[in-house]
Amino acid sequence: MSSDQPDSEMRELPDIPVDSAETAALAGESDAAAPVDAVEDDTVETIVHVLRHGEVHNPKGILYGRLPGFSLSVTGRAQAGAVARSLADHDIAVVIASPLQRAQETAEPIARQHGLLVRTDENLIEAGNTFEGLRVSVGDGALRKPRHWWKLRDPFTPSWGEPYLQIAHRMLAAVNKARVEAAGHEAVLVSHQLPVWTLRRFLQGQRLWHDPRHRQCSLASLTSLVYQGDTLVDIVYSEPAGGSDPTVHGA
């Protein structure tokens, strides 16, 4: 699997579609669940930066998923530092991370830069995957063994892991909670490649199943959601730590 050529600079995306049935349904759920005092002035700008963690030390090249004990590599720590420096002059009010070690370690220098503590939200965790702990590179490892092929029967849900729609719902719940708390400021949420990419496709009204080779979600990249009040008005993607191949396990 190979990556598109992601932009290395901040890039503005086209207008965000609003006719997605899934998006409209979830928006209704979110509005209904919001407390009355969370209603915001529609002139207030809030930015929620959704950050993919940095490179992981993974010499065996396995799909580590939610397994414990996978920390950032030396390069990953440098990437986390680069993101912290890029956000140094931003008005960061909240830093929240997935409970997994690599996400917590990526969040730490950002929180320290702004005198904050890293908080944890389970909704930001990596997607569940039945291939966890195995090598799954194309032409290598588990995918060559017939006993695993049944898991690949349905790429649309998908059959091998957590449903895409469930990922989108929990990620948006984390974003909405942080947006309300950081109203008028900025928040940083540290998560993982598939959850970040699924969230972005959901918000853009795109189908959630996709070719993993075409994800625009490099290591330590920022997918920044810009809100006016409680309305999403823009999505901006950037790579403050440089680009990377999203198909490399251990990345």
Side-chain angles (χ1 to χ4, degrees):
M1 295 184 287
S2 62
S3 169
D4 284 346
Q5 296 299 318
D7 299 335
S8 60
E9 301 293 332
M10 297 288 284
R11 106 178 164 83
E12 198 167 303
L13 298 176
D15 290 342
I16 302 160
V18 296
D19 58 350
S20 163
E22 291 178 344
T23 304
L26 185 55
E29 292 173 7
S30 299
D31 289 345
V36 174
D37 60 3
V39 177
E40 300 167 21
D41 184 334
D42 62 9
T43 64
V44 173
E45 181 175 275
T46 306
I47 301 176
V48 180
H49 303 282
V50 188
L51 170 62
R52 183 187 173 192
H53 63 77
E55 183 186 85
V56 174
H57 179 65
N58 181 21
K60 295 183 179 180
I62 68 170
L63 193 157
Y64 39 74
R66 296 178 177 179
L67 294 174
F70 283 87
S71 62
L72 294 181
S73 65
V74 172
T75 296
R77 292 183 183 279
Q79 291 170 334
V83 177
R85 289 190 295 275
S86 76
L87 294 174
D89 61 351
H90 287 242
D91 184 18
I92 306 297
V94 178
V95 178
I96 304 172
S98 154
L100 297 175
Q101 183 175 348
R102 58 193 182 271
Q104 295 280 322
E105 291 176 349
T106 301
E108 197 280 329
I110 301 169
R112 185 174 62 246
Q113 178 86 53
H114 295 275
L116 301 169
L117 294 176
V118 177
R119 288 161 41 198
T120 300
D121 188 337
E122 293 283 345
N123 280 327
L124 297 172
I125 200 169
E126 177 64 283
N129 194 306
T130 60
F131 288 103
E132 184 177 276
L134 303 176
R135 291 177 57 89
V136 293
S137 299
V138 175
D140 180 37
L143 298 183
R144 298 181 61 184
K145 299 176 181 178
R147 71 174 181 271
H148 291 301
W149 293 350
W150 175 247
K151 298 175 183 178
L152 304 175
R153 67 190 181 279
D154 173 16
F156 308 108
T157 301
S159 54
W160 58 83
E162 183 180 7
Y164 292 127
L165 189 57
Q166 180 174 307
I167 297 170
H169 281 202
R170 64 174 171 82
M171 288 292 291
L172 189 54
V175 166
N176 283 339
K177 184 177 180 181
R179 173 185 58 79
V180 171
E181 183 174 350
H185 307 279
E186 301 178 39
V188 176
L189 305 185
V190 186
S191 188
H192 308 266
Q193 185 195 58
L194 179 55
V196 175
W197 184 241
T198 301
L199 171 68
R200 177 169 157 184
R201 292 183 68 85
F202 183 88
L203 291 174
Q204 292 177 183
Q206 297 174 305
R207 58 174 170 74
L208 300 185
W209 62 271
H210 60 278
D211 184 339
R213 295 172 297 180
H214 298 162
R215 293 173 185 165
Q216 188 185 47
C217 191
S218 291
L219 289 164
S221 61
L222 290 167
T223 299
S224 301
L225 311 178
V226 183
Y227 290 87
Q228 293 289 338
D230 59 2
T231 301
L232 179 65
V233 296
D234 202 5
I235 300 176
V236 181
Y237 175 79
S238 62
E239 297 173 349
S244 64
D245 183 351
T247 68
V248 177
H249 299 295

